[in-house]
Amino acid sequence: WGSQGLPPDELSVHNGILTTRASRFPLCIDPQQQALNWIKRKEEKNNLRMASFNDPDFLKQLEMAIKYGNPFLFHDVDEYIDPVIDNVLEKNIKTAQGRTFIILGDKEVDYDPNFKLYLNTKLANPKYSPSVFGKAMVINYTGGPSRFFANEFQKAGLDFGRQALSFRNRSLTALIDPWDVSEKLKLAEKTAVDIDKLRDGYRPAAKRGAILFFVLSEMALVNIMYQYSLSAFLDVFGLSLRKSMPDTILAKRLRNIMDTLTFNIYNYGCTGLFEKHKLLFSFNMTIKIEQADHRVPQEELDFFLKGNLSLEKSARKKPCLWLADQGWEDIIRLAELFPEKFGGLTDDLEEKLSDWKAWYDIDALEQTPFPLHYNSTLTNFQKLLLLRCFRVDRVYRAVALQLLENAVARGQWLMLQNCHLLVKWLIDLEKAVERITKPHPDFRLWLTTDPTKGFPIGILQKSLKEASEHGSQTLVAASVCPTLKNPPNHLIGADDLTRGEHPKLPE
């Protein structure tokens, strides 16, 4: 099976056993077409026939396969399975007068016991009726980290291959000696263990590949056009392995592989994403990597994204006026959800209001130590939860600066709207703009704002300003109307303005 294209991991082997040994014909959920390729190679020598339900002659081809005992594969199966093959799926085989046959449509077709039927769908999450599960053996071939693991060793090349070959050659050379066979067998067993340890050492890189692939696949939930195949992903995966910096120390080698892979997959994904979805892609990638390392629990992520969703106000009164009402509700909820870290937050706030107020008033408060013991007892992500409660605007500002950094590097156009609503933050923007030394020649930064006091002078002096007091249509009308009301006599006569058939012309 492995030589025919089936990955050697345990899940794939179990799926292979179900596909070949189950009492019912298999229906493979196979979005990456691994099962399809394996079945095609496995049954190639048996004169495999293939068709889809959209082919006009699929019944004729199926009839020939049943009659002559050939394997038959239905590919690109959707959520509707034509009931004309129900008798085949249910194996309603009949015998009469020494003849074995099955009814296909309105015909009796001789049945060869060597006949095999496979159904394969590209749908990642098909919704089949309960009757389908009763007729066919539904097998999920959607991959996991171990699938990347097998491929990763094929791509790892010299690192693993040379060392494994060294172990094997050492064993074979030792086994040539006819004396002391038991000792040679022990050496062979030790060699196998060494090879397994060496192979397992690359498992973190395989796991990172699996995470990144599923992040790419999940983008299809954002836009149906964001579809990526496993084969294309593995091309980028292999390229990253070849381009990553080699190192004799396994830990450093793994770090080089994972850093190069993450960077290449991000660039590969961004080439096919709309600009508005790239930040979501990078955020999802970061969160999934952090969660894999157990640094961002799902409960904390849910609170970071949603805050306190309860419509009922808490009975505990807000202790100060400078804190937003929603911020206080978030603090109450944060203390309830995570009592080990934030159980005393409400009491600490009420008892040390001045300390919290001084920290709250700092513009870039995330860059300063958090009040009391919270600076040393919280993880970086837990500090984000606390920041969200007090100054959710800081989270959004960080997003804007990240967008600016990306736009400068890639030559994109970036528009920041309603800058008058965050005048204090514009100081950070001014500093970020001043740090730009060699921008991409296509980079442009657009800002929209109402006239407001406190707008940084540096930005105003360096920018090309365009004033607009009206919308675009109103502005055009305001420019044209005075000309039409007092037309130059040498260009157009007053009577000319009333001529024409359009009903809106006199207006």
Side-chain angles (χ1 to χ4, degrees), residues 74-121:
F74 276 112
H75 60 85
D76 295 325
V77 176
D78 56 21
E79 294 180 346
Y80 174 76
I81 297 178
D82 197 322
V84 73
I85 69 167
D86 280 354
N87 283 330
V88 181
L89 281 177
E90 297 172 1
K91 297 185 177 180
N92 291 331
I93 303 170
K94 298 182 179 182
T95 303
Q97 299 178 349
R99 176 186 173 219
T100 302
F101 64 92
I102 195 169
I103 297 177
L104 182 64
D106 56 353
K107 298 178 64 176
E108 294 182 355
V109 179
D110 291 336
Y111 188 87
D112 190 302
N114 294 319
F115 168 73
K116 299 177 184 177
L117 177 65
Y118 303 93
L119 296 94
N120 186 279
T121 178

Side-chain angles (χ1 to χ4, degrees), residues 355-395:
D355 293 347
W356 289 100
K357 179 65 165 63
W359 176 71
Y360 176 88
D361 287 337
I362 299 174
D363 185 55
L365 71 168
E366 74 279 357
Q367 300 177 6
T368 60
F370 283 61
L372 308 180
H373 60 85
Y374 294 97
N375 193 62
S376 59
T377 59
L378 301 181
T379 65
N380 290 333
F381 194 78
Q382 288 169 346
K383 290 179 180 179
L384 277 179
L385 304 185
L386 195 59
L387 181 65
R388 188 196 194 286
C389 295
F390 285 89
R391 290 281 299 276
V392 68
D393 61 295
R394 294 304 302 174
V395 178

Side-chain angles (χ1 to χ4, degrees), residues 128-321:
Y128 291 117
S129 64
S131 62
V132 172
F133 288 88
K135 299 172 185 176
M137 174 60 69
V138 181
I139 306 171
N140 191 350
Y141 272 85
T142 304
S146 52
R147 294 180 183 264
F148 297 91
F149 190 49
N151 182 75
E152 193 265 341
F153 283 124
Q154 295 177 358
K155 303 294 184 180
L158 298 179
D159 293 36
F160 173 72
R162 285 179 179 172
Q163 297 176 62
L165 185 61
S166 174
F167 284 130
R168 187 172 60 182
N169 288 343
R170 187 182 68 191
S171 299
L172 292 176
T173 302
L175 288 172
I176 293 175
D177 188 351
W179 303 102
D180 199 3
V181 176
S182 62
E183 290 297 324
K184 310 313 176 188
L185 290 175
K186 291 180 180 179
L187 179 59
E189 292 176 359
K190 183 179 182 301
T191 302
V193 172
D194 291 339
I195 292 176
D196 287 339
K197 287 182 178 179
L198 182 61
R199 180 185 61 190
D200 289 345
Y202 284 91
R203 192 172 293 276
K207 183 179 180 181
R208 175 64 62 86
I211 292 170
L212 296 176
F213 174 71
F214 288 126
V215 169
L216 271 176
S217 300
E218 288 174 356
M219 292 304 296
L221 301 175
V222 179
N223 190 309
I224 193 61
M225 301 299 290
Y226 298 158
Q227 301 286 344
Y228 300 89
S229 69
L230 179 60
S231 59
F233 176 86
L234 290 179
D235 289 340
V236 183
F237 192 89
L239 176 66
S240 302
L241 289 173
R242 295 190 296 272
K243 296 296 184 181
S244 58
M245 189 69 64
D247 202 293
T248 56
I249 301 175
L250 180 58
K252 293 183 179 179
R253 171 65 170 150
L254 284 175
R255 175 49 53 191
N256 294 339
I257 290 175
M258 290 190 289
D259 289 346
T260 304
L261 175 63
T262 304
F263 179 75
N264 289 342
I265 291 299
Y266 175 76
N267 288 334
Y268 170 70
C270 284
T271 57
L273 301 180
F274 290 120
E275 195 63 35
K276 62 182 179 181
H277 295 148
K278 290 180 179 178
L279 186 62
L280 174 63
F281 175 55
S282 60
F283 175 77
N284 194 26
M285 180 184 293
T286 303
I287 288 297
K288 291 300 174 61
I289 292 174
E290 291 294 299
Q291 286 186 324
D293 294 334
H294 307 290
R295 289 194 289 262
V296 180
Q298 186 62 41
E299 296 80 7
E300 294 181 4
L301 176 62
D302 290 340
F303 180 84
F304 177 75
L305 296 175
K306 304 173 185 178
N308 187 352
L309 298 178
S310 175
L311 298 178
E312 297 182 5
K313 300 297 181 182
S314 61
R316 193 163 183 172
K317 187 177 180 181
K318 185 175 69 169
C320 55
L321 296 177

Side-chain angles (χ1 to χ4, degrees), residues 262-492:
T262 304
F263 179 75
N264 289 342
I265 291 299
Y266 175 76
N267 288 334
Y268 170 70
C270 284
T271 57
L273 301 180
F274 290 120
E275 195 63 35
K276 62 182 179 181
H277 295 148
K278 290 180 179 178
L279 186 62
L280 174 63
F281 175 55
S282 60
F283 175 77
N284 194 26
M285 180 184 293
T286 303
I287 288 297
K288 291 300 174 61
I289 292 174
E290 291 294 299
Q291 286 186 324
D293 294 334
H294 307 290
R295 289 194 289 262
V296 180
Q298 186 62 41
E299 296 80 7
E300 294 181 4
L301 176 62
D302 290 340
F303 180 84
F304 177 75
L305 296 175
K306 304 173 185 178
N308 187 352
L309 298 178
S310 175
L311 298 178
E312 297 182 5
K313 300 297 181 182
S314 61
R316 193 163 183 172
K317 187 177 180 181
K318 185 175 69 169
C320 55
L321 296 177
W322 47 267
L323 182 63
D325 292 341
Q326 185 58 47
W328 174 246
E329 298 298 329
D330 288 343
I331 289 174
I332 297 289
R333 184 60 178 163
L334 184 64
E336 294 174 352
L337 288 176
F338 312 106
E340 293 183 1
K341 294 289 185 177
F342 300 100
L345 179 59
T346 51
D347 294 333
D348 291 340
L349 177 60
E350 293 177 344
E351 294 172 3
K352 301 289 185 178
L353 268 179
S354 58
D355 293 347
W356 289 100
K357 179 65 165 63
W359 176 71
Y360 176 88
D361 287 337
I362 299 174
D363 185 55
L365 71 168
E366 74 279 357
Q367 300 177 6
T368 60
F370 283 61
L372 308 180
H373 60 85
Y374 294 97
N375 193 62
S376 59
T377 59
L378 301 181
T379 65
N380 290 333
F381 194 78
Q382 288 169 346
K383 290 179 180 179
L384 277 179
L385 304 185
L386 195 59
L387 181 65
R388 188 196 194 286
C389 295
F390 285 89
R391 290 281 299 276
V392 68
D393 61 295
R394 294 304 302 174
V395 178
Y396 300 141
R397 293 175 183 184
V399 171
L401 291 178
Q402 183 62 48
L403 288 174
L404 175 63
E405 182 180 340
N406 294 340
V408 170
R410 299 174 183 168
Q412 300 165 341
W413 288 22
L414 174 64
M415 172 175 282
L416 302 177
Q417 296 179 296
N418 300 323
C419 292
H420 57 281
L421 300 178
L422 290 173
V423 175
K424 289 185 178 180
W425 173 76
L426 292 177
I427 298 175
D428 295 339
L429 177 63
E430 182 181 15
K431 293 178 181 178
V433 172
E434 290 175 352
R435 289 194 295 267
I436 299 174
T437 55
K438 295 181 179 180
H440 192 285
D442 295 332
F443 165 69
R444 299 291 186 275
L445 175 63
W446 298 75
L447 306 177
T448 67
T449 181
D450 285 347
T452 183
K453 185 178 180 180
F455 204 99
I457 296 177
I459 294 180
L460 293 174
Q461 291 178 339
K462 294 179 181 179
S463 62
L464 176 63
K465 291 172 284 296
E466 180 177 343
S468 176
E469 297 179 319
H470 308 279
S472 58
Q473 294 181 352
T474 306
L475 185 61
V476 172
S479 302
V480 173
C481 285
T483 303
L484 296 181
K485 290 181 179 178
N486 300 290
N489 293 329
H490 64 283
L491 294 178
I492 186 172

